[in-house]
Amino acid sequence: MNNTPLVSIIIPVYNLERYIGNTIQTVIDQSIKDFEVIVIDDGSNDNSLSIINSIRERDSRIKVYHQKNHGQANARNNGVCNALGKFITFVDGDDLLKKNYIKTMLEPMLRDSDLDMVALPHQDASIRDIPNLDVSSKKEKSVNLESDDYLIMALKYNNNLYNVSYASKMYRSAIFKDFKIPEGHYYEDLAGLPNLLKKIHKVLWVNDKQYMYLNDRPLSTVNLINKRKAVDIIWALEYLERILKSSSNDVKRAFQIAIVNNIYVAYVPLKGVPSSLKRIDALINKVSISFVLYTSLHVHVSKKGLLFLIGRKIMNLFKRGHRH
């Protein structure tokens, strides 16, 4: 009898005692049962580990690995190294799954050996929604995409439908053979998933919101922007610029939208740091105002980002003219 699990569910955890019990319970309650749960405790100093261990005592599919605090990317990479499944999916330790999360992605992967990734939209939810989690989800359509097509959508929109998050997706584990999620930074999703997509040929996007993203967590990365995180926004965009150099013009144009939608967030914490402002301006110089204005007619472009782009370009033109 083959005891190798079909799917490896990787959950990085750092100080998530308020959420991790609910998260793991929604994993255990999946309609498909052939999986292992790999929990990487990233040096938690709260009650997270004891909560995880108490659940593990009731379910042998849960495996727990403990490491010093090296960050979410390192924890995910550690999870991949220990994964036995033919397929891999990542779940954040403070999010929730509906019952058919695994089934919705696994079934098409088993039917089509050419599929490297299945992506689902996620459903934004509040912490207050946890007790009333709706397990039903209405499937509307599925779309086969080339990896570049998905990347263009993710860079342009990066919303609950198409995004650069590692979560709410299933991958063939073989594609991680020579790939590591970039470590030591925030926003490793924005930097790393487009690079992973270069190893992928065919993507299936299924419009079925089986992943619940809690968007009002007090300590969430998206809710707290300090200088270090601001610097890492710049790092992620510079990383993207390097890996997309040989990409199609359509991908590069989508990257311009990603710059506009992200770079303004880094400005306020770093406006007194000349070296960072120089890097911000170098990225802004990659963006065509006319292209972004035209694209904003049918794609969401951050108004703050657009105003920042125009203002910064005008200011830099004025400075150059004043010097001459």
Side-chain angles (χ1 to χ4, degrees):
M1 183 177 176
N2 184 9
N3 292 320
T4 303
L6 196 54
V7 180
S8 296
I9 303 170
I10 298 172
I11 308 176
V13 176
Y14 177 69
N15 289 351
L16 295 175
E17 63 181 4
R18 185 177 177 184
Y19 313 101
I20 189 59
N22 287 316
T23 299
I24 294 180
Q25 190 59 52
T26 64
V27 172
I28 292 172
D29 290 342
Q30 288 297 293
S31 58
I32 283 184
K33 306 297 184 182
D34 188 2
F35 59 79
E36 63 176 352
V37 184
I38 298 177
V39 180
I40 307 295
D41 173 50
D42 190 34
S44 297
N45 52 33
D46 66 354
N47 202 38
S48 295
L49 189 57
S50 63
I51 293 170
I52 295 163
N53 285 332
S54 68
I55 300 173
R56 179 179 59 173
E57 290 176 0
R58 305 192 303 268
D59 197 317
S60 61
R61 293 173 298 176
I62 300 172
K63 302 172 183 177
V64 181
Y65 298 86
H66 180 75
Q67 63 180 41
K68 292 182 179 179
N69 181 230
H70 293 305
Q72 182 170 250
N74 180 271
R76 285 171 169 166
N77 285 330
N78 191 2
V80 170
C81 289
N82 287 284
L84 299 177
K86 186 177 180 181
F87 306 99
I88 285 174
T89 185
F90 297 99
V91 175
D92 288 346
D94 45 7
D95 290 336
L96 302 168
L97 308 178
K98 294 183 180 179
K99 286 184 181 294
N100 290 327
Y101 173 72
I102 297 298
K103 179 182 179 181
T104 302
M105 296 186 291
L106 180 61
E107 288 184 345
M109 293 284 265
L110 293 174
R111 285 196 303 266
D112 186 351
S113 60
D114 291 330
L115 264 183
D116 295 313
M117 185 179 96
V118 175
L120 305 181
H122 64 252
Q123 180 174 329
D124 290 329
S126 166
I127 294 169
R128 297 185 300 273
D129 296 333
I130 291 176
N132 302 307
L133 179 62
D134 175 17
V135 297
S136 64
S137 186
K138 184 178 179 181
K139 187 183 295 186
E140 297 190 11
K141 65 177 180 178
S142 300
V143 181
N144 281 297
L145 300 167
E146 297 295 318
S147 59
D148 267 10
D149 294 330
Y150 182 83
L151 177 57
I152 289 167
M153 299 293 282
L155 290 175
K156 279 185 176 180
Y157 294 95
N158 200 21
N159 58 11
N160 64 336
L161 293 178
Y162 305 94
N163 55 70
V164 294
S165 171
Y166 286 105
S168 73
K169 298 169 181 68
M170 183 174 284
Y171 317 84
R172 290 193 186 274
S173 58
I175 68 171
F176 287 93
K177 183 179 179 182
D178 300 310
F179 178 84
K180 284 189 73 174
I181 298 169
E183 298 180 7
H185 299 273
Y186 294 98
Y187 307 103
E188 72 274 9
D189 296 61
L190 175 60
L193 188 74
N195 201 18
L196 182 62
L197 282 166
K198 292 171 69 175
K199 297 169 62 67
I200 288 172
H201 299 291
K202 186 177 178 182
V203 176
L204 179 69
W205 180 79
V206 182
N207 191 15
D208 193 350
K209 294 179 180 178
Q210 291 286 328
Y211 191 98
M212 308 285 287
Y213 175 78
L214 297 186
N215 57 9
D216 58 352
R217 298 158 294 184
L219 297 180
S220 171
T221 299
V222 297
N223 292 330
L224 295 172
I225 301 293
N226 54 29
K227 278 190 175 181
R228 182 184 170 189
K229 291 178 181 178
V231 168
D232 277 351
I233 290 174
I234 300 173
W235 162 81
L237 291 170
E238 290 173 337
Y239 187 99
L240 265 179
E241 182 188 3
R242 290 194 299 273
I243 67 171
L244 297 179
K245 274 186 177 179
S246 61
S247 297
S248 69
N249 288 333
D250 286 342
V251 171
K252 290 177 181 177
R253 282 191 285 267
F255 174 55
Q256 292 185 43
I257 304 301
I259 293 174
V260 176
N261 285 340
N262 288 279
I263 196 65
Y264 77 95
V265 179
Y267 174 72
V268 173
L270 299 173
K271 61 184 178 181
V273 185
S275 59
S276 294
L277 293 179
K278 186 176 180 180
R279 294 167 68 190
I280 288 173
D281 287 336
L283 287 163
I284 284 175
N285 287 338
K286 306 290 181 185
V287 180
S288 162
I289 290 179
S290 59
F291 168 72
V292 173
L293 285 172
Y294 172 76
T295 304
S296 68
L297 297 175
H298 51 89
V299 172
H300 171 72
V301 177
S302 164
K303 290 180 181 178
K304 289 182 180 179
L306 189 55
L307 289 172
F308 173 72
L309 170 74
I310 295 170
R312 193 73 188 170
K313 278 184 174 281
I314 291 172
M315 187 181 72
N316 289 339
L317 282 171
F318 177 79
K319 283 182 178 179
R320 284 197 293 269
H322 185 72
R323 284 198 296 269
H324 293 300

